[in-house]
Amino acid sequence: MHQFVSPIKILSGEGVLKNIPQELQNFNAGNVMIFADPGIIQAGILSKLEDVLKDAKVSYSIFSDLVPEPPLETGREAVQALKESNADFVIGIGGGSSLDVAKAAAVLYGNEGEPGDFLNLTGSRELENKGLPKMLIPTTSGTGAEVTDISVFSLEKTKDVITDPLLLADVAVLDPELTYTVPPRITASTGVDALTHAVEAYISVNATPLTDSLALEAVRLISRNIRTAVWHGSHEESRNKMAWGSLLAGLSFYNAGVSGVHALAYPLGGLYKIPHGESNAVMLPYVFDFVWPSCMEKMTDLADALGVDASLLSTREAAVSAVQALQEIVRDTGIPQTLDRFGVKEEDIPLLAEEGIKQKRLLQRSPRPYSQNDIFQVYQAAYFGELSLGK
Ligand SMILES: [Fe+2]
């Protein structure tokens, strides 16, 4: 039996922002609280949403005390602000962090307890109520946060998540125009994050024919457009295709799951505060260098979707070529390719491995099981920049 879950409604297309007032009317929303980070306010992106709401005479307030890779404290403050307002609808707009806090706040509004009580690894309580209805609007391509039920929070040494179907958006709104001015480094890190979602979903032990279709199309779209979107950001066609690829990757990984790359990236985010997309990007080739022998056929499909001409290659060569293609994408987008370039210290690798093996929820979806020593080896390869590529 296969199951596929997604938000009930996804609106997508250039300029679709103008349809939001109609959606709010469907929910009888009288007062909206918007969660938006300072970056999108300064970039003038929030004002596009505000203009639409003002034209439709929708009353709203803004919570902008948001930081990247948010700690639990941010979640607590967001819930508090929501409870002190008279809002009856939540809009999250921004990158993954803003959307994550918005969906968690909307649900925790209707439940007793602190955000930490509901964490996947260390929490002790289950969410019972849906809280307020919510709309999620991504401004990067992307985290896929608009179509998942996951909220990620940073802890002292690692990250943990609140995950429950109650966190799913009532409406996800994908307007690629919001991504047209995203600067190169963020385009690169969020784009490689989206690519990571797709390739990890494709090799996941929980993959289904439906998640596979979405993942392969996402890999095609992202691998063909990410370089142009990074280095020629005003190229609208590339931006539109990246937005669409990110959405497909999000739907795919929400159902099939991500695994080793995200599991090993989380301690890097926790200990070194490396942004999510960049911590995934630096680990991506090294994790796939470890995992490819366990999923050869799927790796050859990925090689094809990544644009490798594998017609004259053996299955083994094609699988390895997919690892190389992933490395080339990370390199071409300008993201540092080794852990030392992020300031990671070699003596911390055992601690990183100790934290990495704790991410059981993620690691159990990997087609190749990990021991703590395997994780140590993968971090070490990423530290020294050494891909074995089957040699
Ligand atoms: Fe991610």
Side-chain angles (χ1 to χ4, degrees):
M1 201 266 305
H2 297 147
Q3 173 178 293
F4 188 85
V5 186
S6 69
I8 292 170
K9 189 182 273 194
I10 301 172
L11 303 180
S12 63
E14 299 96 284
V16 77
L17 218 58
K18 66 180 183 304
N19 296 73
I20 286 175
Q22 178 61 52
E23 294 302 318
L24 295 175
Q25 251 182 31
N26 295 344
F27 284 90
N28 287 324
N31 209 324
V32 175
M33 180 166 262
I34 301 171
F35 289 84
D37 62 81
I40 71 149
I41 296 173
Q42 280 160 18
I45 295 172
L46 180 63
S47 62
K48 294 180 184 179
L49 172 63
E50 288 189 85
D51 290 347
V52 169
L53 297 182
K54 282 175 190 161
D55 282 352
K57 302 199 174 4
V58 175
S59 68
Y60 63 89
S61 57
I62 299 168
F63 180 91
S64 62
D65 205 2
L66 295 169
V67 289
E69 323 300 322
L72 287 169
E73 184 58 28
T74 301
R76 259 193 299 273
E77 289 168 6
V79 177
Q80 189 67 26
L82 196 52
K83 284 183 173 171
E84 285 169 7
S85 74
N86 58 351
D88 54 13
F89 194 93
V90 167
I91 294 181
I93 179 167
S97 302
S98 304
L99 305 193
D100 281 4
V101 171
K103 59 182 142 169
V107 174
L108 289 170
Y109 174 92
N111 291 269
E112 292 294 323
E114 295 283 313
D117 297 340
F118 301 98
L119 287 175
N120 181 263
L121 296 177
T122 54
S124 55
R125 301 180 74 151
E126 297 285 322
L127 293 164
E128 289 169 5
N129 303 306
K130 182 174 182 293
L132 294 181
K134 52 200 172 297
M135 173 185 287
L136 300 177
I137 311 170
T139 59
T140 59
S141 306
T143 63
E146 70 278 9
V147 291
T148 73
D149 69 2
I150 307 161
S151 262
V152 187
F153 287 98
S154 289
L155 309 179
E156 198 184 334
K157 290 184 189 162
T158 188
K159 291 184 175 183
D160 199 355
V161 300
I162 301 174
T163 176
D164 188 290
L166 291 169
L167 271 75
L168 270 182
D170 294 279
V171 188
V173 178
L174 185 83
D175 188 338
E177 289 182 4
L178 302 180
T179 70
Y180 289 175
T181 54
V182 177
R185 183 115 183 203
I186 296 175
T187 303
S189 65
T190 52
V192 176
D193 186 28
L195 177 66
T196 306
H197 296 153
V199 293
E200 289 216 277
Y202 192 66
I203 63 161
S204 166
V205 297
N206 294 336
T208 69
L210 182 46
T211 61
D212 280 352
S213 304
L214 294 165
L216 281 184
E217 182 62 8
V219 173
R220 282 186 205 103
L221 286 165
I222 296 166
S223 63
R224 281 158 179 69
N225 292 283
I226 188 168
R227 294 169 176 88
T228 309
V230 169
W231 301 118
H232 184 187
S234 59
H235 193 272
E236 293 180 4
E237 190 186 337
S238 297
R239 292 288 199 181
N240 295 348
K241 287 183 172 168
M242 285 296 292
W244 192 240
S246 166
L247 178 78
L248 300 184
L251 289 167
S252 182
F253 99 81
Y254 172 44
N255 286 275
V258 289
S259 53
V261 181
H262 277 70
L264 273 60
Y266 276 3
L268 296 171
L271 279 169
Y272 288 98
K273 309 300 171 212
I274 301 172
H276 176 70
E278 297 195 9
S279 56
N280 274 327
V282 70
M283 295 310 300
L284 176 63
Y286 305 101
V287 168
F288 272 76
D289 197 32
F290 168 78
V291 90
W292 68 264
S294 65
C295 48
M296 299 264 287
E297 292 295 332
K298 285 214 150 180
M299 289 298 293
T300 62
D301 297 341
L302 286 179
D304 181 62
L306 287 161
V308 176
D309 179 3
S311 55
L312 298 175
L313 301 179
S314 67
T315 304
R316 185 179 186 282
E317 288 167 336
V320 170
S321 73
V323 179
Q324 285 174 304
L326 293 173
Q327 184 191 34
E328 284 163 13
I329 288 173
V330 176
R331 186 180 62 211
D332 293 349
T333 56
I335 299 172
Q337 291 181 274
T338 55
L339 288 178
D340 67 321
R341 295 209 26 219
F342 284 98
V344 173
K345 298 187 187 73
E346 192 181 354
E347 60 265 31
D348 281 349
I349 292 177
L351 176 59
L352 289 168
E354 210 175 289
E355 290 298 323
I357 195 72
K358 291 180 187 166
Q359 295 290 340
K360 305 259 182 257
R361 178 183 70 92
L362 300 171
L363 294 173
Q364 69 191 5
R365 297 151 180 168
S366 171
R368 183 170 178 181
Y370 289 83
S371 66
Q372 192 167 324
N373 187 50
D374 293 331
I375 293 176
F376 176 86
Q377 303 281 352
V378 175
Y379 277 127
Q380 210 163 37
Y383 182 84
F384 290 108
E386 291 168 351
L387 283 181
S388 73
L389 299 173
K391 289 175 195 132

